[in-house]
Amino acid sequence: MTPQEISEKLAAKFGGVSDIGLEAKLDAPVDPTIKVSPNHMLEVAKFLRDDDDTQFDYLSCLSGVDLKGKLAVVYQLFSMVKRHKITIRVEVPTENPSVPSVESIWKTANWHEREAFDLFGIIFTGHPDLRRILLPYDWDGHPLRKDYQVPEFYNGMKVPY
Amino acid sequence: MGLLDRQFDNSNIVITSLDSLLNWARLSSLYQLQFGLACCAIEMMAASASNFDMMRFGVIPRATPRQVDVMIVSGTVTLKMATRIKRLYDQMAEPRYVISMGSCSNCGGPYWEHGYHVLKGVDRVIPVDVYVPGCPPRPEALIEGLMKLQEKVRNESLAKKKIA
């Protein structure tokens, strides 16, 4: 399916749902993207995986983005069966960055979501084991946020040059 | 200076100082702690492999800090790794030496400004004997660093060392 058809399919299925926030940006310079509200991400993901026409059985990447004031999670989906792809995007306010975990749908999201939590502080609700994955457990803050300040010391070791 | 320059004919006797005998033995068998941190580790492995064959200097990688003489810090030292490096260094028996290999381990390298997670030089946690510059240094450079360390060992005196 083309991104256009996928977007129309989603609109036909979820168009009637209030606050779904479906917003297709298919002429994006890199990847055709469909925006979804965080409240409905789980059902949209489940539909995209299980529907016979889409069959997105593979989450190739899950990334976090800091948009200054908002945080975004970007899901890049691919279908091994249908050989098509689409990008889904969810945006949440920085004060309450809570997104439903898609770990129950694509197992690979487990570590990806831990990484996004570690570096951006995005809280994935329903994640079975939301711990830091790269930084030490006693680290303060989320370093890939735009407003992150590098600490002066970490465990007695001077950090700046 | 050589060990054999005062050898007597047919009697199997060598006269030398205890220090130079001990130092000769130590510098000819500098066992190395077997671990690598980043791309420098690839060059370190190349230095150990057949083309450069660091084992001809007596450098044998050992997998435990209790059996080694020298730690080659080969790569980027993250703050998470720095605590482990300190711990490994503390477990090494004296006399112990450290070769800091590559720019990252010397001073933070390309991460000096924006590397929030990088220790800007391994000498902030453990004392370093030899710094090998390069990003990464070629095996020849590492072997040069090793020979500098051998020079240092050769000029030490264990017999005259004061007990601290």
Side-chain angles (χ1 to χ4, degrees):
Chain A
M1 291 175 96
T2 62
Q4 183 67 40
E5 287 167 333
I6 294 167
S7 148
E8 280 162 11
K9 180 133 190 118
L10 272 183
K13 169 80 179 168
F14 293 102
V17 182
S18 63
D19 75 312
I20 178 96
L22 271 188
E23 196 181 309
K25 200 175 173 211
L26 303 178
D27 57 347
V30 185
D31 286 323
T33 306
I34 301 173
K35 210 153 100 181
V36 179
S37 93
N39 302 333
H40 297 278
M41 181 57 208
L42 204 57
E43 14 183 332
V44 169
K46 206 166 174 51
F47 172 76
L48 286 173
R49 185 195 63 179
D50 292 338
D51 187 78
D52 284 341
D53 292 331
T54 51
Q55 288 194 49
F56 282 108
D57 49 6
Y58 180 49
L59 175 66
S60 30
C61 192
L62 186 155
S63 333
V65 187
D66 188 347
L67 304 165
K68 290 187 178 172
K70 279 189 293 183
L71 290 170
V73 182
V74 178
Y75 306 79
Q76 280 165 321
L77 305 177
F78 185 74
S79 171
M80 290 289 181
V81 186
K82 300 281 183 179
R83 317 300 293 177
H84 58 201
K85 61 179 185 178
I86 194 75
T87 304
I88 307 289
R89 186 186 179 93
V90 166
E91 288 181 7
V92 282
T94 308
E95 304 81 57
N96 178 28
S98 160
V99 177
S101 167
V102 294
E103 194 267 349
S104 57
I105 293 162
W106 297 288
K107 283 288 168 212
T108 188
N110 192 319
W111 282 19
H112 280 93
E113 286 177 350
R114 280 178 65 186
E115 188 182 355
F117 162 72
D118 193 354
L119 301 175
F120 288 99
I122 298 164
I123 310 292
F124 291 92
T125 50
H127 191 287
D129 182 27
L130 197 63
R131 287 177 294 145
R132 287 188 185 274
I133 189 170
L134 297 171
L135 292 163
Y137 294 138
D138 59 352
W139 193 270
D140 277 333
H142 304 285
L144 287 195
R145 285 199 182 178
K146 298 282 185 196
D147 56 357
Y148 180 74
Q149 294 293 323
V150 177
E152 196 67 26
F153 285 93
Y154 167 73
N155 279 352
M157 293 177 282
K158 188 165 168 262
V159 180
Y161 183 71
Chain B
M1 154 245 153
L3 193 66
L4 300 175
D5 57 355
R6 296 188 62 191
Q7 183 170 2
F8 296 99
D9 284 342
N10 304 323
S11 57
N12 291 332
I13 292 177
V14 174
I15 297 177
T16 181
S17 69
L18 183 61
D19 259 337
S20 61
L21 177 70
L22 286 176
N23 287 346
W24 167 74
R26 291 196 304 130
L27 69 85
S28 310
S29 62
L30 285 167
Y31 285 15
Q32 167 210 343
L33 185 54
Q34 180 182 12
F35 77 106
L37 296 184
C39 30
C40 279
I42 304 293
E43 298 297 306
M44 185 190 69
M45 287 178 246
S48 296
S50 48
N51 270 8
F52 296 93
D53 192 17
M54 208 153 54
M55 207 176 269
R56 69 202 148 110
F57 295 93
V59 177
I60 302 175
R62 303 295 295 175
T64 162
R66 298 175 205 284
Q67 298 175 355
V68 302
D69 306 291
V70 56
M71 170 192 260
I72 300 179
V73 184
S74 54
T76 315
V77 183
T78 58
L79 294 167
K80 197 176 178 180
M81 190 65 196
T83 51
R84 276 92 168 152
I85 284 189
K86 177 85 171 75
R87 191 188 176 118
L88 287 169
Y89 179 78
D90 288 343
Q91 289 176 348
M92 285 163 65
E94 285 187 355
R96 53 193 172 183
Y97 304 96
V98 176
I99 296 178
S100 163
M101 179 185 183
S103 295
C104 289
S105 160
N106 290 346
C107 62
Y111 310 101
W112 71 277
E113 190 171 12
H114 299 295
Y116 59 87
H117 61 304
V118 176
L119 187 71
K120 313 297 186 301
V122 74
D123 50 7
R124 289 190 182 182
V125 287
I126 56 174
V128 174
D129 294 287
V130 177
Y131 296 86
V132 180
C135 187
R138 281 191 52 88
E140 293 96 320
L142 179 61
I143 288 172
E144 170 83 18
L146 184 81
M147 287 161 75
K148 285 278 175 212
L149 183 62
Q150 288 187 327
E151 211 172 286
K152 176 170 181 164
V153 174
R154 186 176 287 123
N155 293 320
E156 276 178 350
S157 172
L158 280 191
K160 289 185 206 149
K161 191 181 173 189
K162 288 188 186 126
I163 297 162

